[in-house]
Amino acid sequence: MSTIKKQVQNFNSYEFEESIKLLESSKDFIGYGTDSDSLEIVLLWRKFFQPSSFFGHIIAKNVSIVSEFKGLKDIWVTDSMGVCKNNIDADDTQIRINKAKDDNVPIIAFFGGSTMQGVGSYLPNFTIPSLVEQILLEEYNFKTVCINHGVAGWSSSEELNFLIHGLDYTPSHCIFYDGWNCVWNFYNGILLNNQFKTDSIIKWQKGTSLRHVEYDYQNLLQFSILWQIKKTSNLIFNKFLLYISKSLNIKFWRRLLQKISSIFFPYKRFNILYNLNNKSLSDDLRDNYLIQIATEYLRIDKIANLVCESRAINFIHFMQPTLLTTNRPYSLREMNLLELGDPLPNSEVFSLFSDQTHLFASFFLQLLLPRFLMLFW
C-alpha cells in the first residue's frame, strides 16, 4: 500500500485536532468559520472570502481558518498569492513557482470551486492538487508543482476570468474541474431572465454568476430610502446583540442571541432567487434550459482552451462528478452529507446536465493521472 493511501486511511480526529492547535498558534489564524448566519460569523468569513465586483469573491492573502460547515471540518491556509496551500507548512506558492522554473519542473494550475479548494478534505494535504502532486511523485516518480486556485462558489466563468486577468505566471498545464456551480449559476440565471422583464436590471449575463446579479441589484437599491433604513436598523440591532453575546460566557445564551439576530434582524435584505427555487418546469422547457446551460458551459470551456493555446499552456477540462450523477454506492459519510444538505430544486437539471454535455467523468483521479502521463511522456 502506498504511503499516501495509508495517510488517508489512517487519518483520525486526533491528527486533525493537533493540526488545529498548530494553526491556532499562527499569527495569521483568524478563527472558526461555521454555517451560522450571525453577523459575527459573516464578518469572520469576510476576512477569508473577500468581495470582488469582478470575480464575485476571492480568497484573502496570508490567512488561516478552521471551517465547520454542515458537518464538514476543514483547515485552509493561504499565502501571499491568496492561494490555498497544499500543506500547512508548505512554502509560499511564489517560492515554489520560482524553484520549479529553475529546476524545469512542470507547474500545474488547478481551477474549480469548493471541491477543488478542499471542502471535505479535512487537511490541506488531502485536497485534489496536493494528492495529485504526491501521487505523481510517489507512484510515478514524476515531480510536479500543483497549485490550488480553487475558490468555493466559483463557476467556470470566474475561473476563466482569473485565468485571463489574475494568473501572473505561466503554468505548463491548466486544469478546469467544475460543473456543479456552473449548473447552479447558469440554470438560476436563465430562470431569472425568464421570470422578470427583459429591461430589468435583475438579469443574468453570460460570463457572470449570480454574485454579479446581486451586486447589480444592490446598486439598484442604493437610492431606496426604505431599503437603506431597514438595512441600517438591522445592522444596528445585529451589532448590539453581537456586543451582548460577546459579553456572555454561557454558550447557550450566546447562540440564542445569534439566532434571534439572524431571524428577526437579517443583515441580508433581499434574495434574488425568491420564489424561483420551487418553480416547476415542463419537460420541454427543462430540456430547453439544459441546452442553454450546456452551450454556455462549453462556450467558456472553448474560450479557456484558446487562451491556454495562445500561451502555450496544455489545457484539460474535467466535469465534476456529484452525488446526484454517480452510479456507485454511497459511503456512510456521503449519506450523512445528503441528509445534512439542503434539498435541491429541480434536481433533474443537475443529474441530466452531464448527459447533455457528454463530458461526464466518473472519478477524477482515475482519469486525471493517465492523461497527465500521456501529456508529460
Side-chain angles (χ1 to χ4, degrees):
M1 183 183 294
S2 68
T3 304
I4 301 166
K5 289 181 180 178
K6 287 181 180 178
Q7 287 179 355
V8 174
Q9 292 183 0
N10 296 332
F11 174 77
N12 54 59
S13 58
Y14 174 78
E15 184 179 349
F16 185 72
E17 294 301 325
E18 287 299 306
S19 298
I20 291 178
K21 290 180 182 178
L22 178 64
L23 204 67
E24 288 176 332
S25 62
S26 168
K27 62 180 178 60
D28 298 326
F29 182 65
I30 60 175
Y32 291 80
T34 68
D35 52 0
S36 169
D37 288 334
S38 68
L39 183 62
E40 180 181 13
I41 298 301
V42 171
L43 294 176
L44 173 65
W45 278 116
R46 287 285 287 268
K47 293 180 181 179
F48 187 84
F49 291 112
Q50 297 180 335
S52 168
S53 59
F54 187 73
F55 297 113
H57 58 279
I58 57 175
I59 294 179
K61 300 177 181 179
N62 297 317
V63 294
S64 59
I65 191 171
V66 176
S67 172
E68 300 175 349
F69 188 80
K70 291 188 175 180
L72 297 175
K73 294 185 178 181
D74 302 296
I75 289 175
W76 293 316
V77 181
T78 73
D79 59 15
S80 63
M81 291 179 63
V83 170
C84 286
K85 292 183 177 183
N86 290 355
N87 192 293
I88 291 177
D89 299 322
D91 289 335
D92 192 275
T93 301
Q94 189 60 61
I95 296 176
R96 300 182 72 218
I97 291 173
N98 295 339
K99 192 173 187 306
K101 289 183 177 180
D102 292 339
D103 298 339
N104 198 28
V105 171
I107 302 171
I108 307 169
F110 287 78
F111 292 83
S114 56
T115 302
M116 185 60 68
Q117 181 185 316
V119 173
S121 297
Y122 286 107
L123 299 177
N125 49 303
F126 292 152
T127 62
I128 290 174
S130 180
L131 286 174
V132 169
E133 183 175 309
Q134 295 176 68
I135 291 172
L136 285 174
L137 180 60
E138 179 178 323
E139 298 186 9
Y140 298 91
N141 196 30
F142 198 89
K143 190 174 183 180
T144 59
V145 169
C146 296
I147 302 174
N148 189 348
H149 289 291
V151 179
W154 270 17
S155 67
S156 55
S157 296
E158 289 81 25
E159 296 166 38
L160 175 61
N161 286 336
F162 192 86
L163 171 65
I164 296 174
H165 305 286
L167 204 65
D168 55 3
Y169 68 96
T170 303
S172 52
H173 297 76
C174 174
I175 309 293
F176 269 32
Y177 178 67
D178 48 41
W180 178 268
N181 291 337
C182 303
V183 181
W184 176 264
N185 283 278
F186 302 163
Y187 166 67
N188 284 299
I190 292 170
L191 277 182
L192 279 172
N193 291 352
N194 286 274
Q195 178 74 11
F196 296 100
K197 296 179 180 179
T198 55
D199 59 347
S200 172
I201 196 170
I202 310 175
K203 187 177 178 65
W204 169 75
Q205 303 286 348
K206 288 183 177 180
T208 67
S209 67
L210 296 180
R211 185 73 66 187
H212 297 91
V213 180
E214 289 181 343
Y215 288 157
D216 288 341
Y217 192 40
Q218 287 187 74
N219 285 332
L220 176 69
L221 294 171
Q222 288 303 309
F223 297 99
S224 169
I225 296 177
L226 181 60
W227 182 75
Q228 293 286 9
I229 291 174
K230 288 181 178 179
K231 180 180 177 181
T232 302
S233 61
N234 280 17
L235 282 174
I236 290 173
F237 278 110
N238 263 285
K239 281 284 189 180
F240 177 69
L241 291 174
L242 175 60
Y243 176 78
I244 295 177
S245 67
K246 282 187 173 182
S247 65
L248 299 175
N249 293 323
I250 303 176
K251 197 172 184 180
F252 170 78
W253 289 110
R254 290 192 64 179
R255 287 186 174 180
L256 179 62
L257 286 175
Q258 290 175 353
K259 196 72 174 177
I260 291 173
S261 65
S262 62
I263 294 175
F264 296 101
F265 308 106
Y267 50 85
K268 191 173 183 179
R269 294 301 310 169
F270 63 87
N271 179 9
I272 59 173
L273 300 181
Y274 180 70
N275 283 336
L276 292 183
N277 287 343
N278 297 318
K279 191 175 181 63
S280 59
L281 301 176
S282 65
D283 289 347
D284 289 341
L285 189 58
R286 180 203 63 197
D287 292 342
N288 179 272
Y289 286 177
L290 277 168
I291 292 173
Q292 293 183 56
I293 294 168
T295 300
E296 176 64 4
Y297 185 68
L298 294 174
R299 183 185 76 88
I300 294 174
D301 177 66
K302 185 179 294 185
I303 296 173
N305 188 33
L306 291 172
V307 170
C308 286
E309 283 184 0
S310 69
R311 299 180 182 179
I313 302 171
N314 294 293
F315 178 73
I316 307 174
H317 194 179
F318 288 93
M319 177 174 284
Q320 173 186 4
T322 69
L323 293 180
L324 285 175
T325 54
T326 184
N327 294 319
R328 63 172 174 77
Y330 294 141
S331 68
L332 179 60
R333 191 176 188 218
E334 287 171 339
M335 287 189 288
N336 290 335
L337 289 176
L338 286 173
E339 293 178 2
L340 286 168
D342 297 324
L344 283 168
N346 300 310
S347 58
E348 70 276 5
V349 174
F350 290 81
S351 56
L352 292 173
F353 172 65
S354 57
D355 295 331
Q356 185 67 48
T357 55
H358 307 291
L359 290 173
F360 179 67
S362 61
F363 184 61
F364 181 74
L365 290 178
Q366 291 178 0
L367 294 178
L368 179 59
L369 292 177
R371 286 286 296 277
F372 274 141
L373 297 176
M374 289 174 63
L375 285 168
F376 292 136
W377 293 341

